[in-house]
Amino acid sequence: MIAPTPADRPNPGVAATPPTSGPPGPAPGSEALPPVPSPRTALRLGLLVCPLCRAVLRSPTGDTNPGRCPRCQSSLHPRKVASLERTWALILTALILYIPANLLPIMTVTRFGRSETSTILNGIQTLITMGLWPLAAIVFFASVVVPLLKLSVLAGLAFAAGRHSTWRPEERARLYRLVESVGHWSMVDVFLVAILAAVVDLGAIAAIEPEAGATYFGAVVVVTLFAAHSFDPRLTWDPLGAEA
Amino acid sequence: MQIEPAFSACPACDLLFRRRPLPHGMAASCPRCGTTLGVGTDDPVSRPLALALASLILFFVVSLEPLLVLRLGDREVPATLFGAVLTLVDAKMYPLAFLVFWTSLLAPLTTLLGLILCLWPLRQGGTSRLGPGFFRIALALLPWALVGIYFLSVLLALFKLKDLAEIHLGAAMVAFAALVVTMTALRGSLHPEPLWERLELLNDLEHPDGLDNLEHPKRP
């Protein structure tokens, strides 16, 4: 494994050293400090980064059409294609789907012939009345907090990136990492419905049937995952030092 | 397009770095945005391969044995991973059935098989023309393998049903707990960048014009 060190100092020994742009970076020896005044990004130096294998790539002919990565065959683009447009479209889609996901029942519970439908919020209420506080907290967090938090954070990140904001990029980067890592946990409720419906199958005595709300909720989770994936975190950093 | 082996860049902020060796077990993170860039490892192949093989064996047990068993009088209803998918199919909820099938069965299984097919030849020191393709599939599907979350859901179901019926953990749950551990360890031990370098090296050996890449020594 080769570890990176900030490319503050252009190395004349490497034939492929790209032309530098902007003022010189921090003095040699200050490698621990982030080179903020003139961030040497791959894009500014005319290099592309493979989105999958992370190889740094250079077009020897200055070709405008980057094509594919020679190492892993991923298609190459300087930034994710139409990142903000896709992110906004997916955020809006998820918000629309979120309404039926919460209003429609996710399952019907039948007990001795009596049927009762249950929405996501009902389910949390039931857990609280059963005295299962920690479980209610887990489901509430995974099904209500995570999707809403994720969508609002993504909307904020996309809004800031769209305005080329240079406001608090470290915090915005941290928020993006958070949003990327917690998204999957919302699937808990979908799996819960599936496993409950599979195991409680005793006809009129006791049965649990999945309902349409679960489908909408699953769609919210998937669309939100794609929304997070379509946002390019490098857009947060691109405006920095651009004025120099 | 030509690879610049002397450089690497932060995937989250595009900051360019000059590369230098990272000692085994040390992690590097981006000084600008804090994203973890990689972890140094002396052997990027053996540990993920071992964990993928262990996970695959456990996965067969988990998918064939019941997760939960509901008991009522002398009646027993077992629920398996695949049974949960079939229940959704029976309810004509095809998109949801596919989502559950995809995240609980297809994605984990394909990821594990892809990793094993890619890493096994590397471990043997041989070449594999299909290695990069398998690795690409595995990396693309790994985020969709939601084994740990499914495990949590089964535990939640157990508590949720305690008032409704007599419910027991099935034989699969011990293997399932072990699978969550091995899959988590697998994610932690999988370092794509050195593996891509290894795969690239093997391809270059098939085409001798790439021999100047031998500065990364091949392991026995």
Side-chain angles (χ1 to χ4, degrees):
Chain A
M1 171 75 191
I2 310 289
T5 119
D8 289 342
R9 288 162 291 176
N11 183 349
V14 177
T17 299
T20 53
S21 63
S30 64
E31 282 179 350
L33 293 171
V36 172
S38 168
R40 270 169 214 282
T41 62
L43 187 67
R44 259 172 226 167
L45 298 174
L47 300 166
L48 287 180
V49 184
C50 172
L52 185 68
C53 75
R54 297 188 182 180
V56 173
L57 300 154
R58 184 178 61 98
S59 167
T61 53
D63 212 341
T64 43
N65 177 23
R68 289 184 176 275
C69 172
R71 186 154 78 179
C72 70
Q73 302 303 316
S74 302
S75 77
L76 298 168
H77 303 280
R79 291 289 176 264
K80 287 179 186 173
V81 178
S83 169
L84 292 180
E85 291 87 340
R86 285 185 190 177
T87 307
W88 277 121
L90 291 165
I91 289 172
L92 289 178
T93 311
L95 280 175
I96 294 167
L97 290 168
Y98 191 72
I99 299 166
N102 277 280
L103 293 181
L104 295 178
I106 55 168
M107 59 185 172
T108 301
V109 183
T110 307
R111 248 190 265 203
F112 303 111
R114 272 187 32 205
S115 290
E116 211 181 308
T117 62
S118 148
T119 63
I120 288 173
L121 288 173
N122 283 161
I124 296 167
Q125 243 173 1
T126 315
L127 284 174
I128 294 175
T129 53
M130 284 168 77
L132 300 168
W133 278 98
L135 299 187
I138 292 175
V139 178
F140 180 72
F141 184 76
S143 306
V144 182
V145 177
V146 166
L148 286 181
L149 197 76
K150 201 174 161 177
L151 288 173
S152 41
V153 166
L154 268 181
L157 291 173
F159 179 75
R163 290 174 49 108
H164 305 288
S165 164
T166 54
W167 181 72
R168 297 198 172 189
E170 293 92 350
E171 282 81 356
R172 280 156 64 201
R174 206 170 296 148
L175 277 176
Y176 180 71
R177 288 201 294 276
L178 181 79
V179 150
E180 249 196 331
S181 59
V182 298
H184 302 111
W185 288 99
S186 309
M187 280 295 284
V188 156
D189 246 336
V190 174
F191 290 144
L192 187 60
V193 171
I195 194 84
L196 284 177
V199 78
V200 186
D201 188 13
L202 297 170
I205 306 167
I208 292 181
E209 294 282 327
E211 298 288 348
T215 301
Y216 285 106
F217 191 75
V220 170
V221 179
V222 172
V223 171
T224 313
L225 286 176
F226 278 119
H229 184 72
S230 62
F231 180 74
D232 194 329
R234 292 171 294 188
L235 297 178
T236 297
W237 296 93
D238 281 344
L240 270 92
E243 63 273 10
Chain B
M1 283 286 134
Q2 226 169 48
I3 294 183
E4 293 278 4
F7 291 105
S8 96
C10 173
C13 79
D14 211 29
L15 194 65
L16 197 65
F17 302 98
R18 186 169 300 288
R19 316 180 84 188
R20 63 181 160 86
L22 186 64
H24 181 80
M26 294 264 282
S29 57
C30 174
R32 186 158 78 145
C33 71
T35 301
T36 303
L37 298 166
V39 179
T41 169
D42 290 343
D43 182 357
V45 177
S46 302
R47 189 180 294 228
L49 178 61
L51 288 165
L53 285 168
S55 300
L56 187 69
I57 295 165
L58 289 167
F59 192 76
F60 278 115
V61 179
V62 171
S63 48
L64 295 175
E65 294 290 320
L67 303 168
L68 290 176
V69 182
L70 182 140
R71 220 169 271 164
L72 193 93
D74 53 354
R75 277 190 74 182
E76 277 195 0
V77 184
T80 59
L81 271 181
F82 200 62
V85 176
L86 288 181
T87 307
L88 295 173
V89 172
D90 286 342
K92 302 211 180 334
M93 304 180 74
Y94 303 114
L96 196 65
F98 178 75
L99 179 62
V100 173
F101 177 62
W102 172 248
T103 50
S104 70
L105 286 156
L106 201 56
L109 193 61
T110 316
T111 303
L112 292 175
L113 286 175
L115 276 180
I116 290 166
L117 288 172
C118 157
L119 294 174
W120 189 274
L122 284 184
R123 169 78 192 164
Q124 301 300 316
T127 64
S128 156
R129 199 181 304 259
L130 295 171
F134 286 132
F135 194 44
R136 214 183 144 188
I137 292 170
L139 284 182
L141 295 193
L142 187 60
W144 291 102
L146 305 180
V147 172
I149 297 160
Y150 203 112
F151 183 73
L152 178 70
S153 298
V154 177
L155 291 184
L156 282 173
L158 182 73
F159 283 101
K160 241 189 131 117
L161 291 173
K162 76 182 174 89
D163 286 1
L164 190 73
E166 193 192 339
I167 194 105
H168 296 274
L169 287 180
M173 285 305 276
V174 178
F176 207 164
L179 179 65
V180 174
V181 173
T182 55
M183 286 292 281
T184 310
L186 176 60
R187 277 173 214 259
S189 69
L190 193 63
H191 306 305
E193 216 168 338
L195 285 173
W196 279 119
E197 273 160 17
R198 200 70 75 85
L199 288 164
E200 182 189 23
L201 180 70
L202 291 178
N203 281 350
D204 286 346
L205 285 173
E206 283 178 6
H207 312 285
D209 52 315
L211 280 176
D212 54 330
N213 273 338
L214 277 175
E215 57 188 277
H216 310 299
K218 192 180 153 199
R219 283 182 187 279

